[in-house]
Amino acid sequence: MLICLNGGLGNQIGNYVFAQFLKEFEEYGADVKIVWSNNVNETRDIVLDKFNTHLDVATKEDVEKFLSAKTHPGLVFDLLFKNIFDKIWVNNLWNFLRRIRKEYNIYPKKSLNLLSKIVTYKGAMKHKYTHLAVCDCYAPAVKGFYDPAFREKMRQHFTLKEELDPENAAIMEKIKACKNSVGVHIRRGDYIDYKFPVVKKEFIISKMNILCEKFPDAEFFIFSNGMDWAKENLQPGGVSNLHFVDINDEAHGYLDFVLFNACRHRIYSNSTFSIWTKFFNSYEESLEFYPEAEDLALVC
């Protein structure tokens, strides 16, 4: 099975954990290879190699073997009656074709045999013949991922290969010095451009106040790709001990991921970054707040 890395850090982590999940559990037993590239688009780099991940990267021979393999009738049925009408499936197809053209200089014909082997992660989990499927997945966090041993193994994979630079090390030291550190993730950025719902400031401030009441010594570490908004809206909210972590750009967001995961308590946004920091939370006594639909709003 081939998995194309896709999207920002949260999605890349989801792609990787899903690949490891399929390899780890006997009920799937999939031979999974990663279709690797230096970036997923013009603005987002692949950063999984910054962690202690075990990347089994597909060779050109692996891709050619996949393309020449015969499909399964069940996959053809799903293509004709389900997948072909699915927008996610279409995105998966074009992401896969774009990646193998760029990285392997392979231009396959869009035959029924090929098209039927492009599946979503749900399709890959459904079928036992996953070795014939391609999945460009969107950071799933399925129930099976929460097997304690598997989850701990993934935590070890997502430790940094290299030591933190002095600026980030200083932030890490501050976080570890706090008994009740609180990570606050605010996802904005391209969500505003694409008109995706973003978390309301009322949700964030209300959860901060809850944590302040329970833990008077709470220190808040704010991570956001809309830091100007965060400073403008959170500073007047009446909560003290705010630390705005604005030292890392988009290309170094993996450092924010490491810092955030060092925080004991969490206030999340509706994003894959938040989904995976929640997954990697190792604190047994941790208060976490994830937004519901009513905590979100469109910003036009």
Side-chain angles (χ1 to χ4, degrees), residues 116-140:
S116 64
K117 290 185 288 185
I118 308 295
V119 298
T120 65
Y121 76 89
K122 290 181 180 178
M125 294 189 70
K126 169 186 173 184
H127 298 297
K128 298 302 180 184
Y129 32 88
T130 51
H131 62 288
L132 294 179
V134 169
C135 179
D136 187 359
C137 55
Y138 288 82

Side-chain angles (χ1 to χ4, degrees), residues 242-257:
L242 302 180
H243 306 276
F244 295 93
V245 184
D246 55 2
I247 59 176
N248 298 311
D249 58 16
E250 179 87 17
H252 295 85
Y254 64 93
L255 296 174
D256 281 350
F257 180 82

